[in-house]
């Protein structure tokens, strides 16, 4: 037994021979810099989440981390009131908007995959790419939305940003990379373009569709400016506008809470509003994260 | 013509029902109308998207005529009186506009100097790590703030750095009271730049990672054999490999020097005041949508848009002259 030599195991992270060993000093310096970066990135999140659970006494003691916890802040903003309503609005806009954006983006992307065969489609592609270079400006966009009668309507949060040219290019590039023979053979078998799109192209593109859907969903969840300028009716405000009004600008908090609740300390409530506005993103983020690089790079700038 | 490319398509499947149609495809003299008719279903894919871009990207361009009008919402674009370049003259004579333009340029300059190189440095640092696992964990963490809205970012920063946050507490324990970085006009531009770095540095590394991974290992090996240490390999192999990407992104950055974090500044302006925080976009918003001075603010927006487009095109041409690929 002892005469058997173990097979040469190559460790996954084995460094190539030419690389040489790093010095102790440079290793510790790197570790220090990275620890610092991680701290700066994470501390604000950890602090806000921890403080949102602080009990009244812990909040009053003013330490960097709470010593005792309570759910008062969440109880007072969830069960009714402005925050609850704005969360529902935001969730609906996010779901409907993402679904419509995906529909319009993928169909346009597929329509523009065969620019050499479909007369006129190259012109459309150039028109779309040009929109990445310039925009009309804030006022003309506002005037358009107003003249379409979408002021104070939830459609103003969805329709003007329905297709992102960048996302369309990402999806189109992915579609173009699908094996041409597959689509051609389906065509010869008599499949219609719509059938090819629904039954071959879309199922093969799940990875890129997941990334783009996440981008759209995050965009809708985070959308602030459109809601601020197009919705005058405060009852329609999504969570980001509420967050700005009550946390960033510091307008009085009283209307935020559900009626007949004893008010917890204002700062704790602010933290809790931040947390509920962030949670959905923190939840979906780990699932889609592994696709990011692929999704972003297939679309990298050139059309 | 593209249709010529598949001469074998019809012959490869004799006896198929689609043969006749496929055979027609081979005729070199297909008229455009014929091709349109054959691909008619493809137009059902294109049409909705085309309508969207025409209405929401191209139609508003026409709305810029308001810049040459004494626009009143009551009369509308067709009924308002034309004033020629009066709005532009008034704009350049307006100290607030000049202030906004200066602030925009200062913030842009700070971002090109500090925020632009940050992802490159971070990518180089992470690339020099040997452990894939550490690399991936750090990446996950630094990407995170990119997905959070500016409202949330500013709200979080306010809690940590604001007058009631732990940093101010820390300062007051060592005897410095009333530190509120979030509301200090003097340091505001530095604050804005650090916020941009915090939010975007991680996400910005993605494209540099891709460029780094495209550099062949043999180059590093050859450099090492020639006696280059890790610093020299970074300097002589990695950085030159990144030059095309850096040029490309620099073009984009230069094209948007007049666009600096609109939401970011809009949200923080009340705390620090317009003198420090007014930029072109917020000027347009406050003058136009809140202030009702439609003509002048549209003129400011048009000025910004036109200069921006000229800058991108010029920078792109310059990059091509330097021998890099350019953007378009």
């Amino acid at each position: 037994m002892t005469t058997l030599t173990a097979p040469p195991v190559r460790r996954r992270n084995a460094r190539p021979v030419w690389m040489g060993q790093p010095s102790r000093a440079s290793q510790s310096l790197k570790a220090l810099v990275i620890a610092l970066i991680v701290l700066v990135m994470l501390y604000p999140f950890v602090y806000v989440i921890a403080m949102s659970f602080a009990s009244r006494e812990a909040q009053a003691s003013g330490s960097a981390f709470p010593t005792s916890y309570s759910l008062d802040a969440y109880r007072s903003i969830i069960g009714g009131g402005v925050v609850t309503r704005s969360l529902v609005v935001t969730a609906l806009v996010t779901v409907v908007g993402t679904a419509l954006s995906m529909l319009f983006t993928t169909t346009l992307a597929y329509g523009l995959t065969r620019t050499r065969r479909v007369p006129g489609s190259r012109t459309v592609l150039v028109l779309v790419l040009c929109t990445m270079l310039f925009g009309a400006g804030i006022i003309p966009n506002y005037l358009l939305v107003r003249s379409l009668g979408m002021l104070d309507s939830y459609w103003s949060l969805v329709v003007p940003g329905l297709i992102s040219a960048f996302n369309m290019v990402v999806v189109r590039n992915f579609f173009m990379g699908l094996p041409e023979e597959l689509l051609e053979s389906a065509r010869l078998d008599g499949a219609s373009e719509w059938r090819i799109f629904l039954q071959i192209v879309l199922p093969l593109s799940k990875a890129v569709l997941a990334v783009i859907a996440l981008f759209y969903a995050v965009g809708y969840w985070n959308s602030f400016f459109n809601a601020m300028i197009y919705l005058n009716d405060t009852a329609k405000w999504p969570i980001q506008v509420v967050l700005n009004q009550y946390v960033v600008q510091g307008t009085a908090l009283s209307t935020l809470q559900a009626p007949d609740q004893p008010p917890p300390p204002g700062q704790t409530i602010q933290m809790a509003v931040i947390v509920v506005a962030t949670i959905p993103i923190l939840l979906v983020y780990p699932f889609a994260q592994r696709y990011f690089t692929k999704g972003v790079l297939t679309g990298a700038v050139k059309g | 013509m593209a249709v010529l490319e598949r001469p074998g398509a019809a012959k490869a499947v004799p006896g198929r029902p689609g043969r006749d149609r496929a055979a027609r495809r081979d005729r070199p003299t297909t008229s455009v109308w014929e091709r349109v008719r054959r691909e008619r279903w493809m137009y059902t894919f294109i049409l909705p998207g085309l309508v969207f871009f025409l209405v929401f990207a191209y139609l508003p361009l026409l709305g810029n005529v308001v810049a040459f009008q004494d626009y009143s919402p009551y009369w509308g674009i067709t009924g308002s009186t034309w004033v020629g370049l009066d709005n532009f003259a008034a704009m350049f004579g307006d100290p607030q506009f000049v202030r906004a333009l200066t602030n925009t340029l200062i913030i842009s300059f700070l971002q090109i100097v500090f925020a632009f190189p940050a992802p490159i440095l971070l990518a180089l640092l992470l690339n020099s790590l040997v452990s894939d696992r550490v690399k991936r964990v750090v990446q996950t963490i630094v990407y995170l703030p990119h997905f959070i809205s500016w409202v949330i970012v500013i709200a979080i920063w306010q809690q940590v750095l604001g007058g009631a946050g732990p940093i101010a507490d820390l300062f007051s324990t060592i005897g410095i009271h009333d530190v509120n970085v979030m509301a200090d006009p003097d340091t505001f531009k530095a604050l804005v730049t650090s916020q941009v770095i915090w939010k975007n540095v991680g996400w910005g590394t993605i494209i540099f990672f891709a460029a780094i991974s495209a550099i062949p290992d043999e180059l590093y090996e050859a450099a090492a054999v020639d006696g280059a240490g890790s610093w020299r390999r970074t300097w002589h192999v990695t950085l030159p490999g990144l030059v095309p990407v850096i040029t490309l992104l620099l073009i984009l950055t230069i094209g948007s020097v007049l666009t600096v974090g609109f939401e970011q500044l809009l949200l923080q302006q009340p705390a620090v005041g317009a003198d420090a925080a007014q930029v072109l976009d917020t000027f347009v918003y406050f003058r136009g949508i809140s202030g009702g001075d439609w003509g002048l603010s549209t003129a400011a927006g048009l000025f910004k848009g036109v200069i921006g487009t000229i800058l991108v095109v010029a920078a792109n041409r310059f990059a091509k002259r330097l021998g890099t690929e350019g953007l378009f």
Side-chain angles (χ1 to χ4, degrees), chain A residues 175-289:
Chain A
F175 287 172
M176 306 252 289
L178 295 175
E180 182 59 37
E181 297 76 20
L182 196 65
L183 309 187
E184 200 54 43
S185 68
R187 254 169 226 134
L188 289 174
D189 286 343
S192 69
E193 289 299 337
W194 276 93
R195 186 167 169 158
I196 294 173
F197 173 68
L198 292 172
Q199 296 193 338
I200 300 176
V201 174
L202 288 189
L204 286 176
S205 312
K206 276 182 200 139
V208 74
L209 297 184
V211 181
I212 300 302
L214 176 84
F215 286 171
Y216 277 125
V218 168
Y220 283 115
W221 185 270
N222 283 342
S223 88
F224 160 74
F225 182 67
N226 282 355
M228 190 185 78
I229 61 173
Y230 298 139
L231 304 180
N232 294 315
D233 181 359
T234 55
K236 289 183 172 156
W237 277 356
I239 185 74
Q240 305 291 338
V241 184
V242 169
L243 184 64
N244 175 46
Q245 200 67 21
Y246 294 98
V247 180
V248 179
Q249 311 304 343
T251 312
L253 288 156
S254 55
T255 49
L256 273 188
Q257 291 146 257
D260 54 74
Q261 290 268 0
Q267 208 191 352
T268 319
I269 295 199
Q270 294 189 336
M271 306 270 188
V273 179
I274 299 176
V275 173
V276 292
T278 318
I279 273 179
I281 291 167
L282 296 183
L283 288 183
V284 290
Y285 175 76
F287 297 104
Q289 199 245 340

Side-chain angles (χ1 to χ4, degrees), chain A:
Chain A
M1 289 286 264
T2 46
T3 54
L4 283 175
T5 46
V9 180
R10 208 182 130 78
R11 273 183 33 243
R12 231 180 76 230
N13 292 330
R15 7 175 76 227
V17 197
W18 49 263
M19 210 180 251
Q21 287 303 312
S23 73
R24 251 289 171 44
S26 83
Q27 259 182 321
S28 352
L29 186 68
K30 258 183 223 171
L32 192 72
V33 172
I34 285 173
L36 198 68
I37 292 172
V38 169
L39 181 77
V40 170
M41 291 289 168
L42 279 187
Y43 175 72
F45 290 104
V46 176
Y47 173 75
V48 167
I49 293 172
M51 289 305 275
S52 72
F53 290 105
S55 68
R56 194 181 302 268
E57 304 79 56
Q59 168 75 28
S61 75
S63 61
F65 273 100
T67 41
S68 58
Y69 296 91
S70 92
L71 288 171
D72 286 351
Y74 290 95
R75 243 177 245 130
S76 102
I77 61 165
I78 297 300
V82 176
V83 175
T84 320
R85 192 172 53 203
S86 67
L87 281 174
V88 174
V89 167
T90 314
L92 284 176
V93 168
T94 302
V95 170
V96 173
T98 306
L100 289 176
S101 283
M102 289 306 285
L103 175 72
F104 281 86
T105 305
T106 51
T107 48
L108 181 64
Y110 184 66
L112 298 181
T113 46
R114 300 198 297 151
T115 41
R116 301 174 64 185
R117 292 208 155 206
V118 184
S121 62
R122 176 156 290 278
T123 315
V124 177
L125 179 65
V126 172
L127 276 178
V128 173
L129 294 179
C130 281
T131 63
M132 291 162 90
L133 284 182
F134 55 82
I138 301 162
I139 305 285
N141 281 322
Y142 178 81
L143 294 178
L144 175 74
V145 168
R146 198 185 61 182
S147 61
L148 290 173
M150 291 198 294
L151 284 192
D152 268 331
S153 148
Y154 292 130
W155 291 113
S156 66
L157 308 187
V158 174
V159 180
L162 207 50
I163 307 177
S164 130
F166 177 81
N167 288 351
M168 199 287 291
V169 171
V170 174
V171 176
R172 176 177 175 268
N173 280 4
F174 193 91
F175 287 172
M176 306 252 289
L178 295 175
E180 182 59 37
E181 297 76 20
L182 196 65
L183 309 187
E184 200 54 43
S185 68
R187 254 169 226 134
L188 289 174
D189 286 343
S192 69
E193 289 299 337
W194 276 93
R195 186 167 169 158
I196 294 173
F197 173 68
L198 292 172
Q199 296 193 338
I200 300 176
V201 174
L202 288 189
L204 286 176
S205 312
K206 276 182 200 139
V208 74
L209 297 184
V211 181
I212 300 302
L214 176 84
F215 286 171
Y216 277 125
V218 168
Y220 283 115
W221 185 270
N222 283 342
S223 88
F224 160 74
F225 182 67
N226 282 355
M228 190 185 78
I229 61 173
Y230 298 139
L231 304 180
N232 294 315
D233 181 359
T234 55
K236 289 183 172 156
W237 277 356
I239 185 74
Q240 305 291 338
V241 184
V242 169
L243 184 64
N244 175 46
Q245 200 67 21
Y246 294 98
V247 180
V248 179
Q249 311 304 343
T251 312
L253 288 156
S254 55
T255 49
L256 273 188
Q257 291 146 257
D260 54 74
Q261 290 268 0
Q267 208 191 352
T268 319
I269 295 199
Q270 294 189 336
M271 306 270 188
V273 179
I274 299 176
V275 173
V276 292
T278 318
I279 273 179
I281 291 167
L282 296 183
L283 288 183
V284 290
Y285 175 76
F287 297 104
Q289 199 245 340
R290 62 202 174 105
Y291 296 123
F292 286 163
T293 318
K294 214 198 296 176
V296 171
L297 290 174
T298 47
V301 211
K302 279 213 167 178

Side-chain angles (χ1 to χ4, degrees), chain B residues 268-303:
Chain B
Q268 299 189 88
Q269 182 161 333
V272 288
D275 274 350
Q278 188 85 290
V279 293
L280 287 180
D281 280 328
T282 57
F283 175 82
V284 173
Y285 168 76
F286 283 115
R287 264 308 172 78
I289 292 174
S290 331
D293 198 347
W294 300 95
L296 187 117
S297 61
T298 311
L302 184 60
F303 166 79

